[in-house]
Amino acid sequence: QVQLVESGGGLVQPGGSLRLSCAASGIIFGINIMAWYRQAPGKERDLVAAITRRGIANYADSVMGRFTVSRDNAKNTVVLQMNSLKPEDTAVYYCNADVYVAGGTKLVNYWGQGTQVTVSS
């Protein structure tokens, strides 16, 4: 069984920064794409940023230039550095990963439990 555990959420003032981390654990034979999604109350869950195993990243237009995603393949971790935060960034942030399991023969998508980010003065 694979688990994704997020950490680093909290309350921050507008213009501030937060760093979210996600660690994958379990019997893992490799991880393809790792990503961060977010879901605000009453809204759909949307992609924030994603990064390939080779480090190629893409971002939602709303966070481009403010957020940076990175990963450590050896540690099976992904980090989202969030700067210049705005009230509209308030949401539950979820880690997501495509993980090779079953001896590397099967690719399964996993979600973390989510971490709350609140941007407010």
Side-chain angles (χ1 to χ4, degrees):
Q1 183 69 14
V2 173
Q3 286 189 321
L4 302 181
V5 178
E6 302 107 333
S7 60
L11 173 64
V12 64
Q13 292 186 342
S17 298
L18 279 176
R19 181 180 174 92
L20 304 183
S21 297
C22 172
S25 63
I27 302 177
I28 296 170
F29 292 87
I31 301 179
N32 194 6
I33 293 175
M34 302 188 82
W36 289 94
Y37 287 74
R38 68 185 180 188
Q39 187 168 22
K43 295 188 176 182
E44 294 184 350
R45 189 175 298 187
D46 293 324
L47 178 68
V48 175
I51 185 167
T52 69
R53 185 170 180 83
R54 293 186 177 184
I56 298 172
N58 65 81
Y59 300 90
D61 289 343
S62 59
V63 306
M64 188 80 70
R66 300 188 297 122
F67 291 10
T68 302
V69 63
S70 60
R71 64 187 284 174
D72 186 327
N73 292 330
K75 297 180 179 179
N76 291 328
T77 58
V78 62
V79 170
L80 184 67
Q81 177 66 43
M82 305 185 294
N83 299 327
S84 302
L85 282 161
K86 305 175 181 180
E88 51 264 41
D89 294 318
T90 295
V92 178
Y93 284 69
Y94 296 90
C95 178
N96 180 271
D98 290 328
V99 182
Y100 285 101
V101 298
T105 62
K106 188 177 180 181
L107 190 63
V108 179
N109 187 260
Y110 290 93
W111 291 93
Q113 82 285 357
T115 184
Q116 176 70 45
V117 171
T118 302
V119 184
S120 175
S121 55

